[in-house]
């Protein structure tokens, strides 16, 4: 029989062979490193028998496909180890994720991270036993009987989710069996290096109305050194986590009496957000945006019209109950329908378009407890929101302009090399999540693809990530732990203009529907601040630093001189504080460094007498003495150019 390899070449095989033997005929080294293969487009284990002509591709751990299969097998080893130690545990799900794997468990008695040692020891026993991993296909009736025998309540739900007619498979290793689509490694002994990394709570199916389960995270590599390198980076990442750095620097805090996902911005953090907001709003104004200010709460009628009530209600906070109250008030999750209402105030001509609205908007979304973290996912946030209403002919130019604004802001903040671009499309298999017909979606997605290609944007595609009213360009960033979030977005909306009866008079004097572009120029301010904290490890560029200079008195004799210099710096528009405590200079300097203050100015008797200051930069160290006037000129230039050192 003939198998066709990835490069199009053909290879002849004599009789039925395993995928491993086929890989061996390509290369002994490839076969040894093989994790999984693809046969006629379907991923399969390396012990799968090939008995007919097919296409054939082999993946090692260095590929995304290989890593996922390798780590998914680790999640099964974890589940088996946990069951061996805690026989009454209920198993939920255990997928591979970007940097490793996890499994969700329902324990009768809670465990802690202190239990990891014995779980890891049992995992090592399972790996050492080199248990063969067997795929078993069952009928639905047999699968139901198997799960009943296992007494696993969550697997009952998972089995019910498998559509009729779809193959049902289990994977068995030793006396452990789990419902799973696979594929997996051929044996547990193939795992070379792993580590359990953290423990957290997670609602079953991500729904806070369901039971809170225990999620155990881990990671795995095919080389011990790679694991050690990763764990070292993980420790470094923990030190840069904005949730740690931001709190240590006094940028923000939380309080259980206020609530989860509701951070308190302290003076330093609030100052950074104010600087960001003023800069962004000024830039938007320069680009022709019109500032709006709309209510944070509105009657739900507006969201019924927009479709958010049908498609987004579970993510909204609202007061009142349907069929009970005459009026239900909702906290806005976005400003779209409010700004559309402003657009409708007065008839528009094609000569009036495009209209660009922007707003620094406080918005609310009902995030699940298990999903919230620091400033990246919160329940009340501040969005650099905006909407462009334009004619079809203006769509591409306006979309490009929205992208250009985002790219400009990313460069200024130093984030342009830390993002990827994603074309988020609808899911035709689940049309109830969206408004519009398949034809409308095909048309607008085709238009958006052309725009992205014309702009030369390199992007991935993700099905099912579109807004319910249109496709999106999502600009994605990762935190220090590798978790990806959407930072900024530009969306094409082909539906809401009709729902809100938005019109303009075209060149022929006829009524026409505009296109709408939804965009967030700097995204959610709090989430972007979190990215900046982690990127700079709290040492913000001069123009963003909440405290730009700290003036230290060397002795009590120069305390008044220090206060006078601070007054001069503040008068010039710089943010400065004085440290005139009777402490040793070394201690004062160390504290300023811990606070990540860009410049420290020291005044002793000599400096006071000569009218100069001794200047230290947080990364460059001592840069000499200069007059206060010269320092101000230097500092203001750094602020004006928004230099990133």
């Amino acid at each position: 029989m003939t198998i066709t390899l990835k490069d199009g070449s053909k290879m002849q095989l004599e009789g039925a062979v395993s995928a491993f033997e086929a890989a061996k005929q390509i290369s002994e080294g490839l076969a040894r490193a093989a994790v999984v293969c693809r046969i006629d487009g379907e991923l399969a284990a390396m012990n799968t028998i090939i008995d007919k002509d097919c296409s054939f591709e082999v993946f090692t751990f260095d590929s995304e496909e290989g890593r996922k299969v390798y780590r998914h097998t680790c999640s099964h080893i974890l589940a088996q180890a946990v069951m061996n130690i805690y026989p009454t545990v209920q198993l939920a799900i255990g997928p591979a994720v970007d940097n490793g794997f996890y499994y969700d468990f329902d324990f009768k008695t809670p465990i802690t991270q202190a239990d990891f040692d014995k779980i890891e020891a049992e995992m090592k026993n399972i790996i050492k036993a080199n248990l063969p991993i067997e795929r078993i296909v069952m009928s639905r009736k047999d699968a139901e009987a198997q799960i009943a025998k296992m007494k696993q309540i969550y697997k009952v739900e998972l089995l019910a989710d498998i559509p009729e007619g779809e193959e049902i498979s289990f994977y068995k290793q030793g006396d452990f069996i789990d419902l799973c689509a696979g594929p997996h490694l051929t044996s547990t002994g193939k795992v070379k290096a792993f580590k359990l990394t953290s423990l957290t709570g997670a609602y079953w199916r991500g729904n806070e109305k369901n039971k809170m389960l225990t999620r155990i995270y881990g990671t795995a590599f095919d080389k011990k050194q790679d694991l050690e390198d990763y764990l070292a980076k993980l420790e470094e990442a923990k030190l840069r986590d904005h949730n740690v750095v931001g709190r240590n620097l006094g940028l923000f805090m939380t309080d259980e009496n206020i609530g989860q996902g509701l951070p308190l911005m302290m003076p330093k953090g609030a100052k950074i957000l104010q600087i960001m907001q003023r800069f962004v709003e000024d830039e938007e104004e320069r680009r022709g945006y019109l500032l709006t200010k709309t209510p944070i709460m509105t009657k739900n009628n507006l969201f019924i019209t927009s479709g958010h009530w049908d498609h987004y209600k579970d993510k909204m906070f609202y007061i009142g109950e349907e069929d009970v109250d005459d009026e239900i008030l909702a906290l806005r999750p976005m400003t779209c329908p409010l700004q559309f209402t402003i657009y409708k105030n007065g008839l528009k001509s094609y000569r009036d378009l495009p209209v660009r609205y922007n707003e620094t908007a406080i918005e609310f979304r009902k995030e699940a407890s298990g999903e919230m973290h620091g400033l990246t996912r919160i329940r009340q946030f501040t969005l650099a929101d905006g909407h462009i209403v334009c004619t079809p002919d203006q769509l591409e130019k306006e979309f490009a302009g929205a992208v250009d604004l985002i790219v400009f802001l990313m460069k200024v903040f130093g984030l342009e090399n830390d993002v990827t671009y994603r074309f988020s499309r609808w899911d035709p298999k689940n049309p109830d999540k969206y408004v519009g017909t398949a034809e409308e979606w095909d048309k607008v997605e085709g238009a958006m693809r052309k725009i992205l290609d014309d702009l030369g944007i390199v992007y991935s595609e993700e099905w099912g990530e579109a807004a319910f009213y249109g496709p999106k360009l999502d600009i994605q960033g990762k935190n220090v732990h590798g978790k990806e979030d959407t930072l900024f977005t530009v969306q094409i909306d082909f539906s809401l203009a009709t729902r809100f009866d938005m019109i303009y008079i075209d060149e022929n004097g006829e009524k026409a529907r505009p296109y709408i572009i939804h965009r967030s120029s700097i995204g959610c301010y709090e989430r972007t601040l979190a990215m900046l904290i982690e990127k700079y490890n709290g040492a913000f560029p001069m123009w963003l630093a909440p405290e730009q200079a700290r003036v230290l008195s060397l002795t009590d004799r120069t305390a008044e001189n220090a206060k006078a210099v601070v007054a001069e710096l503040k008068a010039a528009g710089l943010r400065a504080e004085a440290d005139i405590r009777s402490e040793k200079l070394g201690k004062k300097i160390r504290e300023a460094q811990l606070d990540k203050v860009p410049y420290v100015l020291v005044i002793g008797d000599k400096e006071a007498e000569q009218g100069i200051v001794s200047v230290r930069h947080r990364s460059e160290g001592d840069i000499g003495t200069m007059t206060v006037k010269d320092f101000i000129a230097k500092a203001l230039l750094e602020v004006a150019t928004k230099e990133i050192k």
Side-chain angles (χ1 to χ4, degrees):
M1 67 190 156
T2 303
I3 64 172
T4 304
L5 304 181
K6 183 181 178 181
D7 63 2
S9 62
K10 311 284 185 182
M11 188 171 77
Q12 298 299 316
L13 298 176
E14 295 296 330
V17 297
S18 69
F20 174 80
E21 289 298 329
K24 204 171 178 182
Q25 293 192 35
I26 301 171
S27 160
E28 291 271 359
L30 178 64
R32 283 195 301 271
V35 172
V36 69
C37 65
R38 183 175 280 145
I39 301 171
D40 282 340
E42 295 291 329
L43 285 178
M46 293 306 297
N47 55 7
T48 303
I49 300 300
I50 300 174
D51 57 7
K52 62 179 181 178
D53 293 351
C54 64
S55 61
F56 182 64
E57 186 177 358
V58 178
F59 299 97
T60 68
F61 185 84
D62 291 334
S63 67
E64 183 179 353
E65 291 87 349
R67 285 190 294 275
K68 282 189 174 180
V69 168
Y70 190 98
R71 289 165 172 170
H72 185 37
T73 298
C74 280
S75 77
H76 277 226
I77 294 172
L78 167 61
Q80 182 177 6
V82 167
M83 283 210 72
N84 288 349
I85 300 169
Y86 309 95
T88 59
V89 74
Q90 289 287 321
L91 306 179
I93 58 171
V97 290
D98 281 351
N99 293 311
F101 60 91
Y102 70 78
Y103 212 108
D104 287 346
F105 301 96
D106 187 354
F107 289 96
K108 283 198 173 180
T109 303
I111 70 164
T112 69
Q113 212 154 319
D115 296 300
F116 278 8
D117 285 347
K118 62 184 176 185
I119 296 173
E120 287 180 343
E122 183 61 21
M123 290 176 71
K124 288 175 182 176
N125 290 336
I126 294 166
I127 292 168
K128 187 177 180 180
N130 196 23
L131 303 173
I133 299 176
E134 178 187 1
R135 184 173 189 263
I136 305 170
V137 176
M138 296 187 188
S139 66
R140 186 170 293 274
K141 183 178 179 181
D142 288 344
E144 288 170 349
Q146 174 63 46
I147 290 175
K149 180 181 175 183
M150 293 160 57
K151 298 180 180 179
Q152 291 291 328
I153 58 174
Y154 297 101
K155 302 297 178 181
V156 174
E157 282 191 49
L158 295 172
L159 177 62
D161 287 344
I162 300 175
E164 288 293 336
E166 192 169 306
E167 192 172 69
I168 300 171
S169 62
F170 290 76
Y171 278 81
K172 185 176 186 296
Q173 54 199 50
D175 58 1
F176 174 78
I177 188 167
D178 200 359
L179 175 69
C180 182
H184 283 274
L185 298 173
T186 56
S187 72
T188 59
K190 297 288 184 182
V191 174
K192 303 302 179 188
F194 77 91
K195 183 70 178 174
L196 300 183
T197 54
S198 63
L199 178 149
T200 186
Y203 290 109
W204 169 236
R205 295 184 176 274
N207 188 334
E208 61 184 355
K209 295 178 182 177
N210 292 336
K211 188 170 184 179
M212 175 73 79
L213 306 179
T214 300
R215 175 170 295 177
I216 298 177
Y217 281 99
T219 191
F221 291 83
D222 66 341
K223 297 182 182 68
K224 186 178 180 181
Q225 186 59 54
D226 289 345
L227 173 63
E228 290 175 356
D229 291 345
Y230 173 78
L231 293 176
K233 289 179 181 177
L234 201 61
E235 287 304 310
E236 182 183 347
K238 289 178 182 177
L239 296 176
R240 296 179 73 95
D241 188 330
H242 82 276
N243 221 1
V244 175
V245 177
R247 293 173 193 271
N248 288 343
L249 291 177
L251 303 182
F252 72 95
M253 62 173 285
T254 53
D255 188 287
E256 61 181 13
N257 293 317
I258 291 173
Q260 197 176 7
L262 300 169
L264 296 162
M265 301 310 300
M266 299 168 76
K268 289 182 180 179
K271 173 54 67 175
I272 297 172
L273 290 179
Q274 182 189 58
I275 296 163
M276 292 171 64
Q277 179 180 332
R278 287 174 173 174
F279 175 71
V280 170
E281 287 183 349
D282 286 348
E283 183 60 30
E284 288 175 332
E285 185 174 359
R286 277 192 286 272
R287 293 178 182 239
Y289 281 85
L290 304 174
L291 186 65
T292 67
K293 187 173 178 58
T294 56
I296 63 171
M297 185 167 63
T298 177
K299 291 166 64 174
N300 74 323
N301 299 18
L302 212 57
F303 296 111
I304 292 172
T305 301
S306 69
H308 287 95
W309 201 249
D310 290 332
H311 296 275
Y312 209 80
K313 181 181 174 184
D314 289 345
K315 287 282 190 180
M316 295 174 64
F317 292 101
Y318 54 90
I319 303 166
E321 297 181 27
E322 293 176 280
D323 303 323
V324 175
D325 298 289
D326 293 333
E327 184 175 271
I328 297 176
L329 295 173
L331 292 174
R332 64 182 182 191
M334 64 282 297
T335 65
C336 330
L338 297 148
Q339 290 191 346
F340 298 165
T341 303
I342 291 175
Y343 173 86
K344 289 184 63 180
N345 183 32
L347 189 62
K348 305 293 189 297
S349 160
Y350 71 94
R351 294 187 180 90
D352 299 315
L353 301 186
V355 173
R356 306 182 190 101
Y357 295 124
N358 69 303
E359 181 166 347
T360 304
I362 295 173
E363 298 177 357
F364 305 84
R365 294 185 190 173
K366 195 175 183 180
E367 300 286 0
S369 297
E371 293 295 317
M372 288 182 286
H373 174 72
L375 298 177
T376 56
R377 194 167 290 276
I378 52 183
R379 286 176 169 162
Q380 176 183 305
F381 57 95
T382 313
L383 188 68
D385 214 350
H387 300 87
I388 303 168
V389 186
C390 63
T391 69
D393 291 342
Q394 296 167 338
L395 181 65
E396 182 165 356
K397 181 180 179 183
E398 290 303 313
F399 191 99
V403 173
D404 184 70
L405 171 60
I406 292 171
V407 170
F408 169 77
L409 293 175
M410 286 195 299
K411 286 180 178 177
V412 172
F413 287 98
L415 296 173
E416 73 274 20
N417 296 320
D418 302 324
V419 299
T420 56
Y421 295 82
R422 185 181 76 187
F423 178 16
S424 295
R425 307 180 62 183
W426 80 312
D427 180 4
K429 295 179 182 177
N430 196 4
D432 292 343
K433 283 176 59 180
Y434 309 92
V435 298
T437 64
E439 291 75 19
E440 287 174 317
W441 276 94
D442 288 344
K443 179 182 177 182
V444 74
E445 285 190 345
M448 186 164 177
R449 182 189 299 280
K450 180 181 182 302
I451 292 171
L452 297 179
D453 291 343
D454 287 347
L455 291 174
I457 293 174
V458 178
Y459 58 88
S460 61
E461 295 188 26
E462 193 73 34
W463 294 92
E465 290 296 327
F468 71 84
Y469 48 73
K472 304 186 290 176
L473 172 65
D474 286 327
I475 301 175
Q476 306 290 106
K478 289 185 178 180
N479 67 13
V480 289
H481 302 291
K483 185 180 184 302
E484 185 174 277
D485 274 307
T486 299
L487 297 180
F488 323 112
T489 186
V490 186
Q491 309 167 9
I492 297 178
D493 175 1
F494 64 90
S495 168
L496 297 187
T498 300
R499 284 174 170 259
F500 280 91
D501 194 26
M502 296 166 66
I503 62 169
Y504 68 95
I505 304 302
D506 66 16
E507 297 92 327
N508 301 315
E510 302 291 331
K511 291 182 179 180
R513 295 282 183 214
Y515 268 102
I516 299 168
I517 297 170
H518 303 240
R519 47 103 288 198
S520 59
S521 60
I522 200 61
C524 163
Y525 279 94
E526 291 85 355
R527 181 178 291 178
T528 302
L529 175 57
M531 289 288 293
L532 293 170
I533 293 171
E534 294 183 353
K535 178 178 180 64
Y536 298 113
N537 198 18
F540 296 99
M542 178 70 166
W543 74 281
L544 269 179
E547 182 183 353
Q548 295 169 321
R550 186 173 296 178
V551 184
L552 313 183
S553 58
L554 186 58
T555 67
D556 290 343
R557 292 188 300 275
T558 57
E560 292 304 316
N561 301 81
K563 289 194 283 187
V565 170
V566 167
E568 198 172 344
L569 297 179
K570 287 184 174 181
L574 294 169
R575 295 181 290 278
E577 300 295 335
D579 185 348
I580 57 173
R581 296 174 300 159
S582 298
E583 296 283 358
K584 290 182 179 180
L585 180 63
K587 181 179 180 180
K588 291 183 180 182
I589 291 174
R590 282 194 301 275
E591 289 182 359
Q593 289 174 331
L594 289 173
D595 288 341
K596 316 282 186 174
V597 180
Y599 287 99
V600 170
L601 312 184
V602 180
I603 302 179
D605 291 335
K606 176 184 172 183
E607 287 81 10
E609 184 181 335
Q610 297 180 10
I612 58 175
V613 288
S614 180
V615 182
R616 294 181 60 89
H617 187 266
R618 66 185 166 202
S619 61
E620 299 171 13
D622 188 354
I623 58 175
T625 59
M626 60 186 77
T627 64
V628 176
K629 182 178 180 181
D630 286 345
F631 173 76
I632 289 174
K634 172 184 171 59
L636 290 178
L637 179 62
E638 192 174 331
V639 170
T641 58
K642 296 182 172 52
E643 180 183 357
I644 297 174
K645 290 191 176 183

